[in-house]
Amino acid sequence: GVEHSRRPDAAMKFRPARTFCGCTSLLVGVEAICLITLLTDIFLIAICSSAQPIRIIGLLIPSQVQILAAGWAFVGIPATIVAGVGILYRIETSLRIFFFYLVISLVFGLTIPFWFFFTGSACKAWVDKDIQRMGSAFVCGFTDTFIFAFTFVFGLIHCYLVYIVWSASEEISLSPYPELMRYADALGGVRGPQPPDYVPVSLNRAMPRPGQPGQSERSNVYGYAGYTAAAPAQA
């Protein structure tokens, strides 16, 4: 109805992609994204420790952050599996759920680097104290620039993955059955036979006679009462 007619107009403002990385289909792209997301979620759950903090690339991750990341990864595992199956059977709802999961994951993923960037704790964790004495402003500024550049590149890649999942869901919503649509377009070009403009009617055509008593209603309706030929026209 009205909602279906408005969807193409909204899609024109932000056009969905037709391929993944310009070389493969959206099906392959979404399946690859689901695989990467599933492996990431399993890794976050595997390294989680509620008893002690862990150190990753010189950064000390407290237990509270580990539990939060592992909990969110646990939520993402069923959403990822459902999305991987949904893209095969063209189920729009499963891809929409996976899309929102990736969006929220992007927000979480950008929060931690920006927290290190604004607090300056990354410089203390990565740069040796002896080097900081040589000029903390220059050294920490270089470290913050590196964190900002890494976050920017990571954010762009994540946004592109979110865009691919959104494009796949939009494609399914606009064409849930592409094979049937292809046949419908083919049948739409077939033209049926045209009826003749003039149909000759013989004067000696059969005329229905009135129904006789005792005949059923069906025989009267469908003409089973019998037909009699009309008398030939007098010259």
Side-chain angles (χ1 to χ4, degrees):
V2 178
E3 182 181 357
H4 181 74
S5 62
R6 290 179 179 176
R7 295 184 70 91
D9 297 337
M12 291 299 294
K13 297 180 181 179
F14 196 72
R15 186 170 301 175
R18 296 183 178 273
T19 59
F20 175 67
C21 293
C23 59
T24 184
S25 63
L26 293 178
L27 172 63
V28 177
V30 173
E31 292 292 351
I33 295 172
C34 291
L35 178 60
I36 296 173
T37 306
L38 183 62
L39 295 178
T40 304
D41 293 340
I42 295 175
F43 173 76
L44 292 176
I45 295 175
I47 66 173
C48 176
S49 175
S50 59
Q52 57 184 0
I54 60 175
R55 188 176 296 274
I56 300 178
I57 320 177
L59 297 177
L60 192 64
I61 308 299
S63 301
Q64 294 79 4
V65 177
Q66 298 179 51
I67 295 174
L68 178 62
W72 183 246
F74 184 78
V75 174
I77 289 179
T80 304
I81 296 176
V82 171
V85 177
I87 187 63
L88 293 176
Y89 294 96
R90 303 186 67 82
I91 303 175
E92 179 187 358
T93 306
S94 60
L95 290 179
R96 296 290 184 185
I97 295 175
F98 187 56
F99 165 74
F100 288 114
Y101 173 78
L102 292 179
V103 171
I104 300 176
S105 299
L106 176 62
V107 175
F108 285 162
L110 295 179
T111 301
I112 298 177
F114 276 107
W115 180 73
F116 286 125
F117 179 76
F118 287 109
T119 58
S121 57
C123 182
K124 298 178 182 179
W126 287 348
V127 182
D128 189 76
K129 294 181 179 179
D130 296 333
I131 300 178
Q132 294 182 20
R133 294 192 186 97
M134 299 173 57
S136 59
F138 173 77
V139 175
C140 292
F142 179 79
T143 305
D144 293 340
T145 303
F146 174 77
I147 294 176
F148 180 79
F150 176 79
T151 303
F152 181 75
V153 174
F154 172 79
L156 286 180
I157 296 175
H158 199 145
C159 288
Y160 179 74
L161 300 182
V162 173
Y163 172 67
I164 291 298
V165 175
W166 174 80
S167 300
S169 61
E170 286 293 319
E171 180 187 10
I172 294 175
S173 65
L174 295 177
S175 179
Y177 305 103
E179 297 182 356
L180 296 181
M181 294 298 295
R182 184 172 65 252
Y183 291 126
D185 295 338
L187 292 176
V190 178
R191 301 182 61 182
Q194 297 293 333
D197 297 335
Y198 172 73
V199 180
V201 179
S202 174
L203 296 178
N204 295 327
R205 64 185 183 276
M207 299 295 294
R209 63 184 180 182
Q212 298 177 357
Q215 291 180 339
S216 63
E217 181 181 358
R218 178 180 177 183
S219 63
N220 291 333
V221 173
Y222 291 97
Y224 294 129
Y227 291 87
T228 180
Q234 299 294 330

